[in-house]
Amino acid sequence: MLRQQAEERRRIFENSQDLITVMDSRGFLVQVSPSCHAILGYRPGEIIGRSGKDFIHPDDLERSREEMRAARRGKRSRLSDTRVFHKDGHAVPLSWLGTWSEPAQRFFFVGRDMTETLQAQQTLRESEQLARGIIETALDAFVQMNESGRVTDWNNQAEAI
């Protein structure tokens, strides 16, 4: 039974698309999932033994330290989004979940790459701004109503008419 559980955990670790890291009490990486290569450009062996602070964007470092201290005191398992440097130097936004294990004296983190999500949000904002610009400069009147027939918005041309 223990052997099966260990094999299941190994498979999860080896096949996760999210970045899984294990750090010692001083913040040094002791284990890193293979997904590190796809997300950050590093093979696990290139970063094991290094300090996590070597990879965290300087603007996010102090907040990350505070959250790790809080995790050691048993508070919060979700950490803020943190930018982590890719091997080529660009910052990768990761959304973290983490916990401290007192018996193991280790931090366990799972980081999800938020690059595509943030790009999709930016594209949506730009699309909404473009649509708003078209509506505001249209020569036709535009009136928006909700499902109960109440007017919720209109453009300048509708106001003029």
Side-chain angles (χ1 to χ4, degrees):
M1 184 65 160
L2 287 176
R3 185 171 282 147
Q4 180 183 348
Q5 288 177 345
E7 175 61 16
E8 289 169 353
R9 288 188 186 106
R10 186 190 68 75
R11 286 189 176 273
I12 290 169
F13 186 84
E14 294 292 323
N15 294 298
S16 175
Q17 291 183 1
D18 291 332
L19 177 60
I20 302 173
T21 63
V22 180
M23 295 179 146
D24 67 16
S25 61
R26 298 173 312 151
F28 287 87
L29 294 153
V30 295
Q31 193 173 8
V32 180
S33 63
S35 59
C36 182
H37 189 254
I39 296 170
L40 298 177
Y42 292 98
R43 299 210 181 275
E46 294 178 272
I47 65 173
I48 289 175
R50 292 180 60 187
S51 174
K53 72 179 181 184
D54 294 344
F55 304 96
I56 297 173
H57 191 284
D59 294 344
D60 299 339
L61 188 55
E62 189 53 38
R63 185 181 65 244
S64 294
R65 285 179 172 152
E66 289 171 12
E67 290 172 346
M68 288 176 73
R69 285 190 287 269
R72 280 191 81 160
R73 292 190 305 270
K75 299 189 171 137
R76 294 195 285 175
S77 62
R78 181 174 187 317
L79 284 75
S80 297
D81 295 348
T82 302
R83 292 165 292 176
V84 178
F85 290 114
H86 189 278
K87 188 175 185 174
D88 70 11
H90 79 275
V92 178
L94 296 176
S95 183
W96 292 98
L97 291 172
T99 190
W100 167 254
S101 170
E102 192 62 39
Q105 292 290 294
R106 298 276 193 255
F107 289 101
F108 296 87
F109 297 113
V110 178
R112 172 147 307 163
D113 185 351
M114 299 302 290
T115 303
E116 289 181 14
T117 300
L118 295 173
Q119 288 172 342
Q121 290 171 349
Q122 179 62 28
T123 300
L124 179 59
R125 278 191 298 275
E126 290 169 1
S127 177
E128 289 171 345
Q129 289 173 347
L130 178 61
R132 184 44 130 177
I134 291 169
I135 290 168
E136 284 302 320
T137 59
L139 299 175
D140 295 324
F142 171 82
V143 177
Q144 183 176 2
M145 297 170 22
N146 66 16
E147 59 277 348
S148 63
R150 177 171 286 173
V151 173
T152 58
D153 199 8
W154 59 87
N155 69 354
N156 292 336
Q157 191 64 22
E159 191 171 329
I161 291 173

